[in-house]
Amino acid sequence: MINLTIDEKEYEFEDGMTIYEAAKSRDIPIPTLCHNDMIKPYGACRICLVEEKGKPTLIPSCSTPISPNMIISTNSDRVKRGRKFVIELLLSRCPESEEIKNLAKDLGVDTENAESLDLVGTYLLKEAKPAFETKCVLCGLCVRVCAEITERHALGFSKRGIIRKIKTPFEKYATTCIGCGSCAYVCPTNTITIEEVS
Ligand code: FES
């Protein structure tokens, strides 16, 4: 067993859990976008950030294993600022996504007037808008469920940088797709549809 302090309370957990799993088992809420119990955590969205005492940066709780005597804060001002910054970046990328807007509101962001839009969003929303007409947050859950669970490899990442996308091989209909719909099922922003890939 591992002793851990979360939000100033001490707990004991089984070895092998992540911080997110440990917190969830005690009903301590941590927001997530790219976490799915079926799929190995990958730490893509960074919404689940928490603070570990003594660490210089915030850490993703979904992909960080617990270790003895960790002292974790899930709701400190620094954590709130970190999550807010991340959701504002996602909001800049996916301004039409209801899921992102709702999560942003839950994290205390004014979706009509997000502070960070002045810093990064001006470029993202105005200059690079064509590349960002999407609801996809590039968490890769669809790619991973297709590869790791159904083992069909019908989806993958294409291109790099701000024009990175999730696509079928060569952007054609995927012949390996069995139409199971698991990609659409795990998508946190309801972006992907089965019609697109099969
Ligand atoms: S839920 Fe942890 S990084 Fe996305």
Side-chain angles (χ1 to χ4, degrees):
M1 299 296 275
I2 287 192
N3 288 321
L4 200 68
T5 302
I6 305 182
D7 297 340
E8 298 179 0
K9 269 195 184 170
E10 281 187 27
Y11 299 95
E12 258 194 354
F13 297 104
E14 305 225 341
D15 199 1
M17 296 175 98
T18 62
I19 297 170
Y20 173 78
E21 288 168 336
K24 190 177 172 191
S25 72
R26 296 295 195 279
D27 293 327
I28 300 167
I30 296 179
T32 74
L33 256 184
C34 74
H35 178 76
N36 186 295
D37 287 338
M38 291 188 301
I39 305 168
K40 206 172 156 199
Y42 179 65
C45 76
R46 292 322 217 225
I47 283 294
C48 68
L49 292 173
V50 294
E51 184 173 2
E52 181 186 353
K53 190 168 180 194
K55 283 272 163 74
T57 56
L58 298 175
I59 52 174
S61 61
C62 70
S63 57
T64 307
I66 55 172
S67 57
N69 306 318
M70 267 179 158
I71 300 178
I72 300 294
S73 300
T74 69
N75 209 18
S76 64
D77 287 345
R78 191 172 165 220
V79 167
K80 287 183 198 160
R81 276 199 308 277
R83 288 182 192 154
K84 192 166 173 253
F85 182 72
V86 171
I87 196 71
E88 287 178 349
L89 288 175
L90 293 173
L91 195 59
S92 303
R93 176 181 165 82
C94 313
E96 302 308 324
S97 164
E98 287 306 315
E99 292 77 11
I100 300 295
K101 282 197 245 180
N102 289 338
L103 184 54
K105 277 184 200 151
D106 291 346
L107 296 178
V109 174
D110 176 355
T111 54
E112 302 304 319
N113 185 27
E115 281 172 25
S116 70
L117 293 186
D118 287 335
L119 301 174
V120 286
T122 306
Y123 171 73
L124 295 179
L125 283 172
K126 293 183 182 158
E127 306 298 326
K129 190 163 195 282
F132 286 86
E133 285 174 348
T134 176
K135 292 197 298 174
C136 176
V137 292
L138 293 175
C139 68
L141 271 179
C142 53
V143 176
R144 285 182 294 133
V145 76
C146 192
E148 293 170 24
I149 308 288
T150 63
E151 298 183 352
R152 305 311 296 172
H153 301 272
L155 289 170
F157 288 98
S158 112
K159 306 202 166 107
R160 289 176 184 273
I162 61 170
I163 56 168
R164 195 161 165 81
K165 288 179 187 171
I166 293 195
K167 282 285 166 196
T168 50
F170 306 106
E171 306 201 5
K172 305 271 187 226
Y173 285 112
T175 52
T176 55
C177 176
I178 52 173
C180 68
S182 49
C183 54
Y185 177 73
V186 296
C187 177
T189 56
N190 289 315
T191 303
I192 195 156
T193 63
I194 192 64
E195 292 78 15
E196 263 183 287
V197 288
S198 73

